[in-house]
């Protein structure tokens, strides 16, 4: 194994995974990622799109520094703050919504006023509730609030809106737009929803089946506020066409 | 509550009648026992002996809880350590309490250290087994969360680790307390010059049934008081978040 995790420039994220293997149940090493590279500029919003089980969560875990057993290199300012929204909400059941969010605050923000953030995410009336009392949608919002509360420089989101009903997901996407738009945060979001990626991201990375690598990269230059439904439809059609040309 | 009061009253009534009918030294009535109890409390004998026993229970319990938890936790986290420690655990679990007690007295001597160690050693493996389960059941996703957000070590222990282990700790402590109470009496009976077990041994050789009964009753009362005033409130406080679940 030869992995490095070191400081890069500004908030830019540079990732190169030459090889990542898992040992499966039969004791055989299986390549999950092979020759994957991506770069996100400071303040950019990137989306990782790929088939189910291709290794998206693995990529995020490597970027977050939770998995260092890989060949390659990951660079982003290590001393900067990291916020993660995991595929499952990962809240502490024994702490209230408020206390779950406060738990991760660094000492200099321990007394921060979270009213605005909690209000934006529609959690105002749930602050004193325990996670066991929340629906999945609400728990997801708490996880998003927690990641934002620390004022992250790098934000990682793992399919944050999956299995929510569309109305709730649409609202949360708007909230995510507002939150990321108002701060200088570099974001990497995993999704398998192309529409969602085109609505939110500046930079799309399409992954192949296992072993995963980036098969197509696309930059969106139109400002997020100007991405109409028609634009989203046209862009996703174009991208789907490009992807099917790759298959051939 | 009412059912309990009724059932207890019935027990006392039966005892009352049986004692009157038997009219024997071997079955004193409730009033005679209550009289003996009061006398022993006034003379300070009963509080002293109960205090001795209680101190041993607390010491042995603390040792078994802390050491058992640490060993069990390590066994649950490290397969390697588990492979080495497991045979010891199996031997200790299957060793009869009496054997541990006699070994401890013979090797260490008839002293307090031996007494407390023997009791602790009886409970320790059981605690370790429970905590091993707890350590194995730790949620790795919460661990990831704690690492990703760079939680300081003390925060992790207090807010992520301990709450996950708390149900196991509580289960181990609860079963441990009831075992330890009983073993302490045996330890005192065999090799201590004071404590409830010692008094019962003396009363047995003198056929002093009144004393045996009054000590047994005060012993049970103390256990119930500890259960209701210490153990249950602690558990309720620690697990208050659970009740809220719909
Ligand atoms: N700890 C592990 N040990 C062995 N195999 C693993 C482990 N974690 C993941 N895998 C395997 O690696 C592959 C990639 O997993 P990963 O969770 O990164 O995929 P994903 O793209 O996030 O999937 P999904 O869309 O279902 O979230 C999967 O086939 C998975 O079964
Ligand atoms: Mg995943």
């Amino acid at each position: 194994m030869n992995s490095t995790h070191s400081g890069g420039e500004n908030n830019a994220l540079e990732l190169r995974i030459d090889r990542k293997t898992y040992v499966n149940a039969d004791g055989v090493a299986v390549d999950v990622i092979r020759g994957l590279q991506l770069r996100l500029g400071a303040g950019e919003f990137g989306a990782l799109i790929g088939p189910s089980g291709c290794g998206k969560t693995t990529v995020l875990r490597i970027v977050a520094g939770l998995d260092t057993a890989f060949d390659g290199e990951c660079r982003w300012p290590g001393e900067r703050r990291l916020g993660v929204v995991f595929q499952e909400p990962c809240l502490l059941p024994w702490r209230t919504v408020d206390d779950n969010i406060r738990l991760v605050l660094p000492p200099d923000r321990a007394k921060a006023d979270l009213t605005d953030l909690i209000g934006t995410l529609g959690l105002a009336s749930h602050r004193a509730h325990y996670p066991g009392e929340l629906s999945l949608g609400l728990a997801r919002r708490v996880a998003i609030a927690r990641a934002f509360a620390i004022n992250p420089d790098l934000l990682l989101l793992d399919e944050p809106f999956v299995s929510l009903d569309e109305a709730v997901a649409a609202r949360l996407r708007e909230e995510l737009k507002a939150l990321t738009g108002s701060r200088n945060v570099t974001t990497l979001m995993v999704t398998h929803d192309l529409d969602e990626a085109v609505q939110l991201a500046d930079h799309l990375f399409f992954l192949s089946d296992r072993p995963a690598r980036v098969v197509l990269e696309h930059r969106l230059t139109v400002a997020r506020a100007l991405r109409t439904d028609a634009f989203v439809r046209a862009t996703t059609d174009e991208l789907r066409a490009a992807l099917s040309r790759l298959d051939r | 509550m009412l059912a309990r009061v009724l059932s207890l009253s019935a027990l006392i009534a039966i005892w009352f009648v049986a004692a009157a009918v038997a009219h024997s030294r071997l079955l004193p009535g409730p009033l005679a026992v209550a009289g003996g109890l009061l006398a022993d409390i006034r003379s300070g004998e009963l509080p002293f002996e109960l205090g001795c026993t209680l101190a041993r229970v607390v010491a042995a319990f603390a040792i078994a809880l802390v050491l058992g938890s640490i060993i069990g936790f390590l066994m649950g986290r490290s397969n390697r350590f588990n492979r080495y420690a497991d045979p010891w655990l199996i031997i200790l679990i299957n060793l009869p309490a009496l054997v541990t007690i006699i070994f401890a007295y013979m090797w260490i001597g008839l002293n307090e250290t031996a007494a407390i160690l023997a009791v602790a050693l009886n409970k320790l493996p059981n605690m370790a087994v429970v905590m091993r389960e707890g350590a194995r059941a730790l949620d790795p996703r919460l661990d990831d969360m704690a690492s990703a957000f760079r939680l300081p070590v003390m925060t992790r222990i207090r807010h992520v680790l301990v709450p996950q282990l708390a149900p196991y700790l509580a289960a181990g402590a609860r079963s441990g307390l009831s075992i330890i109470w009983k073993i302490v009496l045996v330890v005192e009976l065999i090799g201590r010059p004071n404590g409830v077990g010692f008094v019962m041994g003396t009363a047995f050789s003198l056929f002093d049934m009144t004393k045996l009964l009054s000590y047994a009753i005060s012993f049970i009362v103390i256990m119930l008081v500890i259960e209701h005033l210490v153990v249950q409130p602690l558990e309720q406080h620690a697990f208050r978040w659970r009740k809220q679940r719909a």
Side-chain angles (χ1 to χ4, degrees):
Chain A
M1 281 309 135
N2 169 25
S3 72
T4 10
H5 228 265
S6 57
E9 278 156 44
N10 304 319
N11 277 358
L13 168 72
E14 281 179 53
L15 176 67
R16 196 192 80 236
I17 305 173
D18 299 328
R19 189 164 179 221
K20 165 69 193 168
T21 55
Y22 276 126
V23 178
N24 71 9
D26 304 325
V28 182
V30 180
D31 279 8
V32 182
I33 300 169
R34 191 112 204 216
L36 181 147
Q37 281 198 41
L38 63 86
R39 184 179 188 288
L40 268 185
E44 261 195 324
F45 193 130
L48 271 184
I49 305 148
S52 157
C54 75
K56 304 181 293 294
T57 297
T58 306
V59 172
L60 282 200
R61 284 176 52 82
I62 286 174
V63 174
L66 296 173
D67 189 339
T68 51
F70 68 101
D71 289 330
E73 190 177 19
C74 176
R75 294 163 73 93
W76 65 278
E79 74 282 7
R80 300 292 185 88
R81 275 173 198 160
L82 171 67
V84 184
V85 177
F86 292 92
Q87 201 160 356
E88 287 148 78
C90 281
L91 304 174
L92 300 176
W94 40 86
R95 302 202 106 209
T96 60
V97 166
D98 228 32
D99 289 342
N100 259 287
I101 299 172
R102 286 201 178 274
L103 183 76
V104 303
L105 295 181
D108 63 305
R109 283 181 56 83
K111 295 246 153 27
D113 182 14
L114 302 173
T115 318
D116 276 356
L117 179 67
I118 284 176
T120 309
L121 286 166
L123 292 168
S125 56
H126 299 285
R127 296 180 77 147
H129 287 168
Y130 287 93
E133 301 170 277
L134 305 177
S135 64
L136 178 62
L138 282 170
R140 284 254 165 81
R141 286 187 225 183
V142 179
I144 294 173
R146 176 174 63 187
F148 272 95
I150 59 168
N151 227 339
D153 301 303
L154 178 62
L155 178 64
L156 303 176
L157 304 142
D158 199 345
E159 309 209 37
F161 309 124
V162 83
S163 79
L164 296 180
D165 78 66
E166 191 37 47
V168 175
R171 254 196 65 204
L172 287 181
R173 270 181 216 119
E174 287 308 312
E175 283 154 8
L176 180 63
K177 265 191 216 173
L179 289 165
T180 50
S182 62
R183 306 169 197 219
N184 181 27
V185 46
T186 307
T187 309
L188 183 59
M189 178 177 79
V190 165
T191 179
H192 54 229
D193 180 341
L194 191 51
D195 283 24
E196 176 175 290
V198 171
Q199 283 170 40
L200 293 172
D202 311 310
H203 205 149
L204 312 187
F205 302 91
F206 292 88
L207 302 187
S208 64
D209 260 321
R210 248 175 34 194
R213 63 194 168 83
V214 177
V215 285
L216 179 70
E217 228 182 294
H218 183 81
R219 260 178 197 285
L220 288 160
T221 45
V222 178
R224 281 204 299 204
L226 304 177
R227 294 178 199 167
T228 57
D229 287 352
F231 171 82
V232 171
R233 220 173 304 125
T235 312
T236 52
D237 285 348
E238 190 186 311
L239 287 166
R240 284 201 183 92
L243 284 168
S244 66
R245 274 199 300 281
L246 280 177
D247 280 344
R248 266 184 273 122
Chain B
M1 190 66 205
L2 185 69
R4 279 193 191 182
V5 172
L6 280 178
S7 136
L8 274 180
S9 317
L11 182 66
I12 293 172
I14 292 171
W15 177 14
F16 196 88
V17 173
V21 171
H23 200 72
S24 151
R25 241 186 86 209
L26 292 184
L27 187 56
L31 288 176
V33 171
L37 193 65
L38 273 179
D40 281 348
I41 292 175
R42 274 210 205 97
S43 73
E45 182 201 315
L46 185 103
F48 170 75
E49 306 294 358
L50 269 177
C52 291
T53 302
L54 202 59
R56 289 186 186 114
V57 167
V58 169
F61 183 65
I63 293 173
L65 201 72
V66 171
L67 280 185
S69 296
I70 293 173
I71 292 171
F73 182 80
L74 293 176
M75 288 177 81
R77 298 311 285 172
S78 155
N79 278 328
R80 188 149 173 207
F81 181 58
N82 185 49
R83 275 197 297 277
Y84 285 106
D86 196 50
W88 291 53
L89 212 59
I90 291 172
I91 292 173
L92 271 181
I93 283 178
N94 290 298
L95 207 59
L98 197 57
V99 176
T100 329
I101 295 167
I102 293 173
F103 277 16
Y105 276 145
M106 285 170 64
W107 285 336
I108 302 174
L110 279 175
N111 54 38
E112 212 58 59
T113 314
I116 288 171
L117 206 70
V119 179
L121 218 53
N122 266 301
K123 170 56 191 162
L124 192 148
N126 178 264
M127 195 67 214
V129 168
V130 174
M131 286 308 279
R132 178 170 61 184
E133 283 316 304
R136 284 177 177 162
L138 288 175
D139 188 345
R141 291 168 302 182
L142 294 183
D143 223 40
D144 279 352
M145 187 276 291
S147 305
F149 286 100
R150 316 238 163 93
L151 298 187
V153 177
M154 282 319 290
T155 309
R156 286 176 82 138
I157 293 177
R158 232 184 103 197
H159 298 296
V160 183
L161 195 63
V162 171
Q164 288 187 78
L165 295 175
Y168 297 88
L169 210 63
R174 188 180 270 279
S175 77
L177 206 56
S178 59
I179 295 175
I180 283 179
W181 271 114
K182 292 166 191 166
I183 300 175
V184 165
L185 292 199
V186 180
V187 167
E188 290 174 342
L189 177 79
I190 296 177
R192 294 283 71 214
N194 50 36
V196 176
F198 166 77
V199 175
M200 288 191 159
T202 320
F204 174 50
S205 52
L206 298 174
F207 265 68
D208 186 347
M209 206 56 180
T210 311
K211 185 148 257 172
L212 273 174
L213 279 172
S214 65
Y215 269 80
I217 289 171
S218 38
F219 197 79
I220 291 170
V221 168
I222 293 276
M223 278 183 69
L224 288 179
V225 166
I226 290 183
E227 166 78 22
H228 283 276
L229 294 187
V230 182
V231 179
Q232 281 185 11
L234 262 179
E235 274 193 348
Q236 260 162 31
H237 178 77
F239 299 123
R240 64 197 179 285
W241 56 274
R242 275 192 179 165
K243 270 194 315 211
Q244 321 262 347
R245 250 183 215 168

